[in-house]
Each structure stands twice: as C-alpha cells, then as structure tokens.
Amino acid sequence: MSYTNVLNLSNQPKELEHMLKFYEQEINFLEKLLGEVVSKNTSREALTEAEHFQNQFFVQKKNIEELETRIHRHHQQTADNAKNHAGKVDERLHRENQLIGEEITSIEKIIADLRAAYKNYLVKWM
C-alpha cells in the first residue's frame, strides 16, 4: 500500500459541509419562492415548469445529502488511517478526497445552471 501525508489532502470537511449547507439553504429558499409563484399562476404551462423545478430541487437536495454523508465517512476514515499510520493516509483516501472535490465542483455548476434557468422562469411568471 502507498501512503501520503495527511496534510496533502486539500478538501477540508468542515468547509465542504458549510458550502453544502449554503446550497441546501439556497434551494430551500428557491422552493419557498416557487410556492409563491405557483399560488399566483395556475396555468398548465406554469405548473408544468414548476414541477420540473420542484423535481430538480428534490434531486439536488438528495445529492447534497448523499455527498454530506460521504464527506463525513471519508473524514472518519482519513482520521482513523492517519492515526494508525503516524499522520500518513492511504493513497486511495487521497484519490477519494480529489473525487469529492470534483463532485463539489459539479454540484456548484449544476446549481448555478439551475439557478439561471429558475431566474428565467421567475421573470416569465412573476
């Protein structure tokens, strides 16, 4: 097995968790706003688009929840591994750390795209 210094891990779990909480709160706000728009616009087109956004919000909140769980599990594994190997962690944990960072970047892009599409929806129906 190959090991690397635990300090080589770039993604700090608390920072990632705070970032994901921010996105979760943003989605909750957008959902609340969606409810207000739907209460004022009951046309079939408005409701169909609203359902699309509601589904997307649900999917992204589920993705965030799963990533939070993964981050917590990874942090625990890393801490245990570093403790057992004098500050060194298995290279696989280093790669997992990188993959988590890539997933965070992906979620950020998805939410930015969703936010932009949602903004267009709001302009159309508010």
Side-chain angles (χ1 to χ4, degrees), residues 56-67:
Q56 287 301 308
F57 296 152
F58 175 79
V59 167
Q60 294 316 312
K61 285 188 346 183
K62 185 169 178 16
N63 289 342
I64 288 169
E65 181 181 303
E66 289 172 359
L67 191 51

Side-chain angles (χ1 to χ4, degrees), residues 31 34-35 49-59 61:
E31 281 181 314
L34 183 64
E49 290 181 51
E51 184 177 3
H52 163 75
F53 285 108
Q54 184 62 45
N55 290 339
Q56 287 301 308
F57 296 152
F58 175 79
V59 167
K61 285 188 346 183

Side-chain angles (χ1 to χ4, degrees), residues 23-95:
Y23 288 129
E24 187 175 27
Q25 289 172 348
E26 181 178 22
I27 290 171
N28 288 336
F29 172 76
L30 296 176
E31 281 181 314
K32 181 179 176 187
L33 189 56
L34 183 64
E36 293 174 20
V37 173
V38 167
S39 70
K40 296 176 185 173
N41 297 288
T42 57
S43 73
R44 182 173 173 84
E45 183 182 2
L47 295 177
T48 299
E49 290 181 51
E51 184 177 3
H52 163 75
F53 285 108
Q54 184 62 45
N55 290 339
Q56 287 301 308
F57 296 152
F58 175 79
V59 167
Q60 294 316 312
K61 285 188 346 183
K62 185 169 178 16
N63 289 342
I64 288 169
E65 181 181 303
E66 289 172 359
L67 191 51
E68 286 173 328
T69 301
R70 188 169 162 204
I71 289 167
H72 180 72
R73 185 176 48 246
H74 178 264
H75 176 64
Q76 191 63 46
Q77 290 172 335
T78 301
D80 292 345
N81 204 261
K83 181 180 176 185
N84 293 333
H85 300 286
K88 305 279 186 195
V89 294
D90 188 316
E91 284 285 339
R92 291 177 290 188
L93 290 172
H94 184 264
R95 180 64 187 138

Side-chain angles (χ1 to χ4, degrees), residues 4-12 78 82 87-89 94:
T4 186
N5 191 306
V6 71
L7 299 176
N8 291 335
L9 301 181
S10 58
N11 298 312
Q12 298 302 316
T78 301
K88 305 279 186 195
V89 294
H94 184 264

